[in-house]
Amino acid sequence: MLGLFRKKKSNTVLGIDISSTAVKLLELSHNGKRYRVEAYAVEPLPAGAVAENNISDLEIVGAALGKAASKSRSSQKKTAVAVSGAAVITKTVEMPASLSDDDMETQIAIEADQYIPYPLDEVAIDFEVQGLSEKNPEKAEVLVAACRRENVEMREAALNLAGLKAHVVDVEAFALERCCELLPVPDEAKEKDSLMALVDIGALVTTLNVIQNGKTIYTREQLFGGKQLTEEIQRRYGLSEDEANAGKLSGELPDDYESEVLKPFTDAVVQQVSRGLQFFFSSSHFNDVDHIVLAGGTASLPGLEEMVSEKLGTSVQVANPFAEMAVAGRVKAGELTRNAPALMIACGLAMRSFD
Ligand SMILES: Nc1ncnc2c1ncn2[C@@H]1O[C@H](COP(=O)(O)OP(=O)(O)OP(=O)(O)O)[C@@H](O)[C@H]1O
Ligand SMILES: [Mg+2]
């Protein structure tokens, strides 16, 4: 056999975001210059299957993962998934740079109860040396991430039901940071110490992350999202949830939809972004950000980019991490682009293939 038609053994992982409305799957390849989207699928989840970052219905999530995997037509079984929310604690600590990895592990285990508010036997801990401390070169800066073991195990169990394996368990905020590197941001947002606000507006939750030099320095979650718009459409026009969602995406709704429903909701989104930033400013010495990135499904609302930019006087972009990527033939490019703002986490996870 020449192996002409046999695929090279790939070392990629499937990036899988298990969110409250869907499981989102993405596979990337990288040829040194350019990323290519190899596989992509989104499989919707019924309400309640995943709530507040926790899997509450293992069977349903497992089945959705299985469907997404087969829809994507990827043969890869190794995945990267992420945990997030209150179950996750990340902290940078300083330790003597001379310590070996084993010694660091021991010391972290001894000190961890100072900043981890859960019984340590219920917690999975990982750490990574970031580099030497700028202030004291004899110290290393070590990033410690801890997560309720149960949250990791539920994700592993759901993946296993679908014949998939958790090769990497990451933290959502890190996946987002990684994905942000791909965005074509303006020059002022590339300068050292500049601040980028990433606002992820999902269905239930809006998360503001402020990123400086590639690291998240502030996070705030608000219970606000596109579900409120769906509910208002349902209420006003007497539609089912599915009908309202479809109308929201197609725009095929009664004439007064734009002025009476969409405009007030868009105003509310702008206000949420503005308030989120006010909270950040009041808790830090900053009073401005250099650039705003809008992500999550609700960022696709028509006109939102312009309205946020006008109201806040800052450059704004709706995230599309695939803007400069190639796309494999089997991937539906149009759908991928339409969903791009909601795929930041899946994309940041898929990038773990190239560590
Ligand atoms: N083109 C679009 N226009 C307007 N709204 C959209 C569009 N596409 C998706 N949405 C809305 O975005 C929301 C889903 O976004 P996303 O996939 O980011 O949420 P999620 O990550 O599953 O939810 P959460 O982060 O709240 O757990 C839904 O309310 C959906 O109706
Ligand atoms: Mg989300």
Side-chain angles (χ1 to χ4, degrees):
M1 287 285 272
L2 282 173
L4 211 50
F5 298 111
R6 220 181 315 148
K7 267 177 68 185
K8 258 195 300 181
K9 196 168 180 323
S10 78
N11 296 314
T12 61
V13 291
L14 301 175
I16 295 193
D17 177 12
I18 302 173
S19 77
S20 74
T21 65
V23 298
K24 307 166 187 179
L25 177 156
L26 194 81
E27 184 179 12
L28 298 175
S29 65
H30 193 226
N31 71 2
K33 272 205 214 102
R34 205 169 171 207
Y35 288 101
R36 186 168 115 127
V37 181
E38 295 293 343
Y40 150 79
V42 172
E43 186 60 34
L45 287 172
V50 175
E52 296 181 10
N53 310 307
N54 293 320
I55 295 178
S56 19
D57 193 323
L58 204 54
E59 301 290 324
I60 288 183
V61 175
L65 284 165
K67 275 195 199 161
S70 72
K71 255 205 244 172
S72 78
R73 290 160 61 197
S74 172
S75 56
Q76 186 53 266
K77 301 292 175 215
K78 285 194 293 186
T79 71
V81 288
V83 288
S84 74
V88 185
I89 292 121
T90 60
K91 193 177 164 63
T92 304
V93 296
E94 289 198 344
M95 306 191 110
S98 56
L99 289 184
S100 70
D101 271 10
D102 282 349
D103 290 344
M104 278 191 185
E105 193 173 331
T106 310
Q107 190 153 342
I108 287 167
I110 293 168
E111 292 172 2
D113 60 352
Q114 293 169 21
Y115 48 87
I116 296 173
Y118 303 116
L120 286 184
D121 56 356
E122 291 175 18
V123 170
I125 301 182
D126 203 357
F127 68 97
E128 193 180 85
V129 177
Q130 305 288 291
L132 293 179
S133 159
E134 271 180 30
K135 282 169 246 137
N136 180 354
E138 287 180 3
K139 299 263 185 181
E141 290 197 344
V142 182
L143 176 65
V144 181
C147 177
R148 293 283 294 270
R149 205 182 285 276
E150 193 191 348
N151 291 56
V152 176
E153 286 168 355
M154 285 295 264
R155 277 169 169 67
E156 287 172 338
L159 289 165
N160 291 345
L161 284 179
L164 301 168
K165 267 212 132 37
H167 186 65
V168 174
V169 179
D170 205 334
V171 174
E172 279 188 9
F174 300 161
L176 283 171
E177 288 166 5
R178 210 172 296 119
C179 190
C180 275
E181 290 165 21
L182 300 175
L183 300 176
V185 297
D187 289 342
E188 67 266 23
K190 287 183 197 144
E191 276 171 33
K192 186 169 183 297
D193 297 339
S194 65
L195 296 181
M196 186 161 89
L198 173 69
V199 190
D200 181 311
I201 316 161
L204 305 176
V205 181
T206 293
T207 311
L208 164 68
N209 285 328
V210 180
I211 300 178
Q212 184 180 45
N213 302 324
K215 297 277 170 240
T216 304
I217 60 166
Y218 179 84
T219 298
R220 183 165 191 274
E221 280 188 359
Q222 277 155 281
L223 275 180
F224 175 84
K227 185 141 196 287
Q228 266 140 286
L229 175 58
T230 311
E231 281 169 354
E232 180 57 19
I233 297 172
Q234 280 179 260
R235 200 185 59 76
R236 185 172 281 256
Y237 304 116
L239 299 176
S240 71
E241 188 177 347
D242 287 348
E243 289 167 337
N245 249 324
K248 180 159 105 174
L249 302 190
S250 68
E252 281 166 26
L253 285 165
D255 280 347
D256 66 357
Y257 167 64
E258 261 180 48
S259 61
E260 299 297 313
V261 183
L262 182 59
K263 176 72 170 60
F265 180 78
T266 315
D267 288 341
V269 175
V270 176
Q271 208 186 352
Q272 288 290 334
V273 177
S274 167
R275 270 188 49 198
L277 287 172
Q278 289 308 325
F279 274 105
F280 164 60
F281 297 147
S282 63
S283 75
S284 70
H285 62 276
F286 298 106
N287 50 28
D288 206 2
V289 292
D290 298 283
H291 186 58
I292 298 174
V293 174
L294 301 177
T298 305
S300 297
L301 283 180
L304 190 61
E305 190 175 304
E306 293 76 13
M307 280 179 70
V308 174
S309 173
E310 199 173 298
K311 173 84 197 293
L312 299 173
T314 307
S315 63
V316 178
Q317 72 177 290
V318 174
N320 177 4
F322 313 116
E324 281 156 28
M325 289 189 193
V327 177
R330 69 178 172 192
V331 174
K332 293 183 184 132
E335 197 187 311
L336 179 77
T337 306
R338 272 197 304 283
N339 272 332
L343 294 169
M344 293 279 287
I345 292 170
C347 182
L349 290 172
M351 290 169 77
R352 288 297 300 262
S353 298
F354 319 110
D355 284 349

mmCIF file of all heavy atoms in Angstrom, residues 172-198:
data_model
loop_
_atom_site.group_PDB
_atom_site.id
_atom_site.type_symbol
_atom_site.label_atom_id
_atom_site.label_comp_id
_atom_site.label_asym_id
_atom_site.label_seq_id
_atom_site.Cartn_x
_atom_site.Cartn_y
_atom_site.Cartn_z
ATOM 1 N N GLU A 172 -12.688 27.673 30.155
ATOM 2 C CA GLU A 172 -13.280 28.469 29.066
ATOM 3 C C GLU A 172 -12.564 29.791 28.844
ATOM 4 O O GLU A 172 -12.331 30.195 27.709
ATOM 5 C CB GLU A 172 -14.775 28.734 29.340
ATOM 6 C CG GLU A 172 -15.637 27.558 28.966
ATOM 7 C CD GLU A 172 -17.134 27.837 29.039
ATOM 8 O OE1 GLU A 172 -17.543 29.013 29.220
ATOM 9 O OE2 GLU A 172 -17.893 26.860 28.911
ATOM 10 N N ALA A 173 -12.211 30.468 29.924
ATOM 11 C CA ALA A 173 -11.562 31.776 29.779
ATOM 12 C C ALA A 173 -10.240 31.644 29.012
ATOM 13 O O ALA A 173 -9.881 32.523 28.219
ATOM 14 C CB ALA A 173 -11.320 32.409 31.142
ATOM 15 N N PHE A 174 -9.511 30.539 29.227
ATOM 16 C CA PHE A 174 -8.240 30.346 28.510
ATOM 17 C C PHE A 174 -8.505 30.080 27.025
ATOM 18 O O PHE A 174 -7.747 30.537 26.154
ATOM 19 C CB PHE A 174 -7.438 29.170 29.096
ATOM 20 C CG PHE A 174 -7.071 29.336 30.548
ATOM 21 C CD1 PHE A 174 -6.701 28.229 31.307
ATOM 22 C CD2 PHE A 174 -7.085 30.585 31.155
ATOM 23 C CE1 PHE A 174 -6.360 28.369 32.648
ATOM 24 C CE2 PHE A 174 -6.753 30.732 32.495
ATOM 25 C CZ PHE A 174 -6.386 29.618 33.244
ATOM 26 N N ALA A 175 -9.578 29.318 26.751
ATOM 27 C CA ALA A 175 -9.928 29.048 25.352
ATOM 28 C C ALA A 175 -10.270 30.363 24.642
ATOM 29 O O ALA A 175 -9.877 30.587 23.496
ATOM 30 C CB ALA A 175 -11.094 28.074 25.280
ATOM 31 N N LEU A 176 -10.979 31.229 25.347
ATOM 32 C CA LEU A 176 -11.344 32.521 24.752
ATOM 33 C C LEU A 176 -10.109 33.383 24.486
ATOM 34 O O LEU A 176 -9.987 33.991 23.430
ATOM 35 C CB LEU A 176 -12.307 33.274 25.675
ATOM 36 C CG LEU A 176 -13.757 32.772 25.662
ATOM 37 C CD1 LEU A 176 -14.560 33.438 26.775
ATOM 38 C CD2 LEU A 176 -14.416 33.030 24.314
ATOM 39 N N GLU A 177 -9.190 33.404 25.454
ATOM 40 C CA GLU A 177 -7.954 34.184 25.267
ATOM 41 C C GLU A 177 -7.222 33.718 24.011
ATOM 42 O O GLU A 177 -6.769 34.504 23.192
ATOM 43 C CB GLU A 177 -6.997 33.978 26.454
ATOM 44 C CG GLU A 177 -7.429 34.637 27.742
ATOM 45 C CD GLU A 177 -6.618 34.118 28.945
ATOM 46 O OE1 GLU A 177 -5.675 33.327 28.769
ATOM 47 O OE2 GLU A 177 -6.968 34.518 30.079
ATOM 48 N N ARG A 178 -7.136 32.405 23.874
ATOM 49 C CA ARG A 178 -6.420 31.812 22.746
ATOM 50 C C ARG A 178 -7.090 32.186 21.427
ATOM 51 O O ARG A 178 -6.440 32.563 20.467
ATOM 52 C CB ARG A 178 -6.414 30.287 22.933
ATOM 53 C CG ARG A 178 -5.222 29.588 22.364
ATOM 54 C CD ARG A 178 -5.216 28.108 22.768
ATOM 55 N NE ARG A 178 -5.082 27.905 24.191
ATOM 56 C CZ ARG A 178 -5.996 27.293 24.953
ATOM 57 N NH1 ARG A 178 -7.109 26.809 24.429
ATOM 58 N NH2 ARG A 178 -5.790 27.164 26.242
ATOM 59 N N CYS A 179 -8.414 32.112 21.430
ATOM 60 C CA CYS A 179 -9.156 32.404 20.205
ATOM 61 C C CYS A 179 -9.044 33.884 19.834
ATOM 62 O O CYS A 179 -9.000 34.239 18.658
ATOM 63 C CB CYS A 179 -10.609 31.993 20.387
ATOM 64 S SG CYS A 179 -11.544 32.041 18.875
ATOM 65 N N CYS A 180 -8.980 34.745 20.853
ATOM 66 C CA CYS A 180 -8.885 36.183 20.590
ATOM 67 C C CYS A 180 -7.637 36.545 19.794
ATOM 68 O O CYS A 180 -7.622 37.522 19.063
ATOM 69 C CB CYS A 180 -8.886 36.966 21.907
ATOM 70 S SG CYS A 180 -10.536 37.284 22.521
ATOM 71 N N GLU A 181 -6.589 35.722 19.951
ATOM 72 C CA GLU A 181 -5.348 35.998 19.212
ATOM 73 C C GLU A 181 -5.574 35.958 17.707
ATOM 74 O O GLU A 181 -4.796 36.510 16.940
ATOM 75 C CB GLU A 181 -4.269 34.962 19.570
ATOM 76 C CG GLU A 181 -3.728 35.104 20.971
ATOM 77 C CD GLU A 181 -2.948 33.864 21.394
ATOM 78 O OE1 GLU A 181 -2.507 33.111 20.503
ATOM 79 O OE2 GLU A 181 -2.816 33.648 22.610
ATOM 80 N N LEU A 182 -6.620 35.256 17.285
ATOM 81 C CA LEU A 182 -6.875 35.100 15.846
ATOM 82 C C LEU A 182 -7.616 36.289 15.260
ATOM 83 O O LEU A 182 -7.695 36.426 14.049
ATOM 84 C CB LEU A 182 -7.743 33.861 15.604
ATOM 85 C CG LEU A 182 -7.217 32.508 16.043
ATOM 86 C CD1 LEU A 182 -8.287 31.457 15.817
ATOM 87 C CD2 LEU A 182 -5.967 32.165 15.252
ATOM 88 N N LEU A 183 -8.205 37.116 16.120
ATOM 89 C CA LEU A 183 -9.087 38.162 15.600
ATOM 90 C C LEU A 183 -8.280 39.308 14.991
ATOM 91 O O LEU A 183 -7.256 39.715 15.546
ATOM 92 C CB LEU A 183 -9.992 38.693 16.721
ATOM 93 C CG LEU A 183 -10.894 37.655 17.381
ATOM 94 C CD1 LEU A 183 -11.673 38.293 18.536
ATOM 95 C CD2 LEU A 183 -11.851 37.040 16.378
ATOM 96 N N PRO A 184 -8.753 39.821 13.874
ATOM 97 C CA PRO A 184 -8.063 40.942 13.228
ATOM 98 C C PRO A 184 -8.388 42.262 13.923
ATOM 99 O O PRO A 184 -9.159 43.066 13.420
ATOM 100 C CB PRO A 184 -8.628 40.906 11.802
ATOM 101 C CG PRO A 184 -9.972 40.274 11.923
ATOM 102 C CD PRO A 184 -9.941 39.373 13.121
ATOM 103 N N VAL A 185 -7.812 42.460 15.116
ATOM 104 C CA VAL A 185 -8.146 43.649 15.899
ATOM 105 C C VAL A 185 -7.365 44.863 15.391
ATOM 106 O O VAL A 185 -6.312 44.720 14.773
ATOM 107 C CB VAL A 185 -7.856 43.443 17.414
ATOM 108 C CG1 VAL A 185 -8.727 42.338 17.972
ATOM 109 C CG2 VAL A 185 -6.388 43.163 17.662
ATOM 110 N N PRO A 186 -7.875 46.085 15.639
ATOM 111 C CA PRO A 186 -7.158 47.290 15.195
ATOM 112 C C PRO A 186 -5.836 47.462 15.948
ATOM 113 O O PRO A 186 -5.648 46.890 17.023
ATOM 114 C CB PRO A 186 -8.129 48.424 15.518
ATOM 115 C CG PRO A 186 -9.107 47.869 16.489
ATOM 116 C CD PRO A 186 -9.165 46.390 16.266
ATOM 117 N N ASP A 187 -4.946 48.279 15.370
ATOM 118 C CA ASP A 187 -3.600 48.441 15.925
ATOM 119 C C ASP A 187 -3.592 48.854 17.392
ATOM 120 O O ASP A 187 -2.783 48.361 18.173
ATOM 121 C CB ASP A 187 -2.813 49.477 15.106
ATOM 122 C CG ASP A 187 -2.458 48.910 13.742
ATOM 123 O OD1 ASP A 187 -2.516 47.662 13.592
ATOM 124 O OD2 ASP A 187 -2.143 49.701 12.833
ATOM 125 N N GLU A 188 -4.505 49.757 17.779
ATOM 126 C CA GLU A 188 -4.476 50.243 19.165
ATOM 127 C C GLU A 188 -4.733 49.105 20.154
ATOM 128 O O GLU A 188 -4.324 49.179 21.311
ATOM 129 C CB GLU A 188 -5.465 51.396 19.390
ATOM 130 C CG GLU A 188 -6.940 51.044 19.284
ATOM 131 C CD GLU A 188 -7.519 51.300 17.891
ATOM 132 O OE1 GLU A 188 -6.736 51.317 16.921
ATOM 133 O OE2 GLU A 188 -8.753 51.472 17.788
ATOM 134 N N ALA A 189 -5.393 48.041 19.685
ATOM 135 C CA ALA A 189 -5.671 46.921 20.585
ATOM 136 C C ALA A 189 -4.523 45.919 20.592
ATOM 137 O O ALA A 189 -4.556 44.936 21.331
ATOM 138 C CB ALA A 189 -6.972 46.236 20.176
ATOM 139 N N LYS A 190 -3.494 46.160 19.770
ATOM 140 C CA LYS A 190 -2.343 45.243 19.750
ATOM 141 C C LYS A 190 -1.204 45.768 20.610
ATOM 142 O O LYS A 190 -0.262 45.048 20.915
ATOM 143 C CB LYS A 190 -1.833 45.093 18.309
ATOM 144 C CG LYS A 190 -2.757 44.251 17.442
ATOM 145 C CD LYS A 190 -2.146 44.103 16.059
ATOM 146 C CE LYS A 190 -3.181 43.648 15.057
ATOM 147 N NZ LYS A 190 -2.983 44.240 13.743
ATOM 148 N N GLU A 191 -1.272 47.049 20.975
ATOM 149 C CA GLU A 191 -0.174 47.633 21.742
ATOM 150 C C GLU A 191 -0.068 47.007 23.121
ATOM 151 O O GLU A 191 -1.058 46.567 23.692
ATOM 152 C CB GLU A 191 -0.395 49.145 21.878
ATOM 153 C CG GLU A 191 0.118 49.890 20.657
ATOM 154 C CD GLU A 191 -0.285 51.347 20.665
ATOM 155 O OE1 GLU A 191 -0.374 51.930 21.762
ATOM 156 O OE2 GLU A 191 -0.512 51.875 19.563
ATOM 157 N N LYS A 192 1.168 47.003 23.649
ATOM 158 C CA LYS A 192 1.402 46.432 24.970
ATOM 159 C C LYS A 192 0.497 47.129 25.999
ATOM 160 O O LYS A 192 0.297 48.343 25.927
ATOM 161 C CB LYS A 192 2.875 46.611 25.350
ATOM 162 C CG LYS A 192 3.241 45.919 26.652
ATOM 163 C CD LYS A 192 4.748 45.883 26.862
ATOM 164 C CE LYS A 192 5.121 45.131 28.122
ATOM 165 N NZ LYS A 192 4.637 45.722 29.370
ATOM 166 N N ASP A 193 -0.046 46.356 26.907
ATOM 167 C CA ASP A 193 -0.904 46.828 27.995
ATOM 168 C C ASP A 193 -2.268 47.364 27.548
ATOM 169 O O ASP A 193 -3.031 47.869 28.376
ATOM 170 C CB ASP A 193 -0.204 47.905 28.847
ATOM 171 C CG ASP A 193 1.033 47.347 29.545
ATOM 172 O OD1 ASP A 193 1.105 46.105 29.686
ATOM 173 O OD2 ASP A 193 1.905 48.141 29.927
ATOM 174 N N SER A 194 -2.560 47.313 26.259
ATOM 175 C CA SER A 194 -3.887 47.787 25.847
ATOM 176 C C SER A 194 -4.954 46.826 26.373
ATOM 177 O O SER A 194 -4.673 45.668 26.689
ATOM 178 C CB SER A 194 -3.970 47.906 24.330
ATOM 179 O OG SER A 194 -3.856 46.633 23.748
ATOM 180 N N LEU A 195 -6.171 47.326 26.468
ATOM 181 C CA LEU A 195 -7.254 46.530 27.054
ATOM 182 C C LEU A 195 -8.283 46.168 25.995
ATOM 183 O O LEU A 195 -8.735 47.025 25.240
ATOM 184 C CB LEU A 195 -7.961 47.319 28.159
ATOM 185 C CG LEU A 195 -7.151 47.688 29.388
ATOM 186 C CD1 LEU A 195 -8.035 48.443 30.370
ATOM 187 C CD2 LEU A 195 -6.572 46.448 30.054
ATOM 188 N N MET A 196 -8.643 44.891 25.973
ATOM 189 C CA MET A 196 -9.690 44.450 25.070
ATOM 190 C C MET A 196 -10.834 43.886 25.906
ATOM 191 O O MET A 196 -10.621 43.041 26.770
ATOM 192 C CB MET A 196 -9.131 43.381 24.145
ATOM 193 C CG MET A 196 -10.103 42.964 23.097
ATOM 194 S SD MET A 196 -9.238 42.158 21.764
ATOM 195 C CE MET A 196 -9.279 40.497 22.374
ATOM 196 N N ALA A 197 -12.042 44.375 25.670
ATOM 197 C CA ALA A 197 -13.207 43.836 26.373
ATOM 198 C C ALA A 197 -13.878 42.832 25.460
ATOM 199 O O ALA A 197 -14.233 43.149 24.332
ATOM 200 C CB ALA A 197 -14.169 44.964 26.727
ATOM 201 N N LEU A 198 -14.000 41.604 25.957
ATOM 202 C CA LEU A 198 -14.686 40.574 25.188
ATOM 203 C C LEU A 198 -16.027 40.330 25.856
ATOM 204 O O LEU A 198 -16.085 39.927 27.010
ATOM 205 C CB LEU A 198 -13.843 39.294 25.186
ATOM 206 C CG LEU A 198 -14.511 38.075 24.564
ATOM 207 C CD1 LEU A 198 -14.664 38.253 23.069
ATOM 208 C CD2 LEU A 198 -13.706 36.825 24.850
#
